[in-house]
Amino acid sequence: MSTPAIELIDVTAGYAGRPVQNHVSFQIGQGEIVALLGGSGCGKSTMLKTIIGLLPVIDGDVRIAGESLVLCNQIKKREILRKFGVAFQNGALFRSYTLAENIALPLQEYTDLPQEEIDKIVEEKLRIVGLEGAGKKMPGDLSGGMVKRGAVARALALNPGIIFLDEPSAGLDPLNSANLDQLILDIRKKFNSTIMIVTHELDSIFTVADRAIFLDSKGGGILAQGTPEELRDHCENPFVRNFLNRGKDK
C-alpha cells in the first residue's frame, strides 16, 4: 500500500491551546482531489492552517508524504514544506511586487537557482495558468480571476506533489469559477498532483472533487466522507445530505 500524500492522525486543532476541531483523522492518496467541507465556522481554515504548519497541532500528528510535520526539527520541516504549495483565499499576492516577482518568491526562498533560470520557471508557470505576458503587472491591476490564477502559479513554483487551495472560487463569477475548476483538473492531469480544496462552492465540489470530507460544526471531527454524490444522495447524516443537495440541480 502506497504512502498517503496527506495523513492526519487524531489531530486536535485550534488556537492558543483552545480546540476548534477534535480528533480528526483521514488520509488523502497520491493524485486525489479532496474537498474539505463543513458549515460556517466549523474550522475548515483552522484545519488547513494546521495541516500546512501555520498553526501548531494541539494533539495528534500531520504527515506529508509519510513525514511528520509535528515531530520534525526545523531543518526537516523546511524540507517538508517544499513538498507542497498553497494558494490562499484572497490570493495573498504581495501588492508591492509584480506578478512574476510574487511567483519567483518560493524559488528564491527554497532554491539556489540563478535569476535567469528562475525567470524561465516563472514564465512556464504563467503559461500553465493562462497568464502568459502578465508577469509585469501589479496585483492591483489584475482581475479577481487573474489573481486566483496567479496564486495557483505561485503554488506551482517548486513543482510540488501536493497543492492546497483555500476557497479558490470565492468571489468569482460563474465563468471564471468554471475556468478555475478546469485549471485544477488540468494540473492534476499534467503533474499527477494531490490537491486538497477548502471550499463551500458546491459547483466546484461536484466538478473536481474525487472525495469530500465533511467536518462537524460543533468541533466533533469528521461527520462523513465519501464521493460528493454518495454524500449528497446516501449520507445517513441529514445535515450533510441537505448541505450538498443545495447544489443538486446545478
Side-chain angles (χ1 to χ4, degrees):
M1 187 174 180
S2 60
T3 301
I6 304 166
E7 184 176 16
L8 270 65
I9 303 173
D10 203 29
V11 169
T12 295
Y15 299 88
R18 295 190 297 274
V20 173
Q21 276 292 343
N22 296 275
H23 308 298
V24 176
S25 297
F26 62 78
Q27 295 181 355
I28 299 177
Q30 176 63 37
E32 267 197 298
I33 299 178
V34 174
L36 186 65
L37 311 178
S40 179
C42 74
K44 297 187 298 293
S45 294
T46 301
M47 289 305 305
L48 174 62
K49 291 175 183 177
T50 302
I51 295 169
I52 65 177
L54 290 182
L55 282 176
V57 171
I58 295 175
D59 196 16
D61 195 12
V62 174
R63 297 179 183 175
I64 303 296
E67 297 186 297
S68 173
L69 261 178
V70 176
L71 303 177
C72 65
N73 59 32
Q74 286 301 311
I75 294 175
K76 187 63 178 178
K77 183 175 182 179
R78 183 178 172 86
E79 293 177 11
I80 296 172
L81 292 178
R82 281 201 57 173
K83 296 182 178 182
F84 62 79
V86 185
F88 292 98
Q89 179 173 354
N90 296 316
L93 300 178
F94 291 100
R95 297 183 66 83
S96 59
Y97 290 7
T98 66
L99 177 57
E101 288 169 342
N102 269 281
I103 298 169
L105 286 173
L107 295 159
Q108 294 165 343
E109 173 69 18
Y110 289 101
T111 77
D112 296 320
L113 292 172
Q115 189 60 46
E116 182 179 356
E117 186 65 25
I118 289 175
D119 291 342
K120 290 180 181 178
I121 294 172
V122 169
E123 285 300 316
E124 176 196 6
K125 304 311 176 188
L126 286 169
R127 282 195 298 273
I128 288 171
V129 302
L131 290 177
E132 53 267 73
K136 293 183 179 179
K137 291 182 178 290
M138 304 300 290
D141 298 324
L142 303 175
S143 69
M146 292 173 75
V147 168
K148 298 281 190 179
R149 286 173 172 268
V152 172
R154 187 172 61 185
L156 292 171
L158 294 169
N159 294 326
I162 302 168
I163 301 168
F164 295 95
L165 304 176
D166 184 16
E167 298 285 3
S169 299
L172 297 183
D173 61 63
L175 178 59
N176 274 309
S177 181
N179 288 339
L180 189 59
D181 288 343
Q182 186 58 54
L183 174 61
I184 292 169
L185 292 171
D186 291 344
I187 288 170
R188 194 256 296 271
K189 183 177 180 180
K190 182 178 180 65
F191 298 107
N192 192 31
S193 303
T194 301
I195 303 174
M196 179 176 168
I197 306 172
V198 175
T199 185
H200 66 277
E201 299 287 344
L202 295 181
D203 285 355
S204 295
I205 293 164
F206 288 100
T207 300
V208 306
D210 302 311
R211 191 157 52 93
I213 297 171
F214 207 101
L215 295 177
D216 181 7
S217 296
K218 297 180 180 179
I222 296 174
L223 282 181
Q225 57 180 311
T227 70
E229 292 78 13
E230 287 171 347
L231 297 183
R232 180 191 64 194
D233 298 334
H234 306 296
C235 183
E236 294 181 359
N237 187 295
F239 177 77
V240 174
R241 194 170 60 248
N242 292 336
F243 184 96
L244 289 170
N245 265 289
R246 290 183 300 153
K248 190 167 186 177
D249 298 324
K250 294 187 177 183

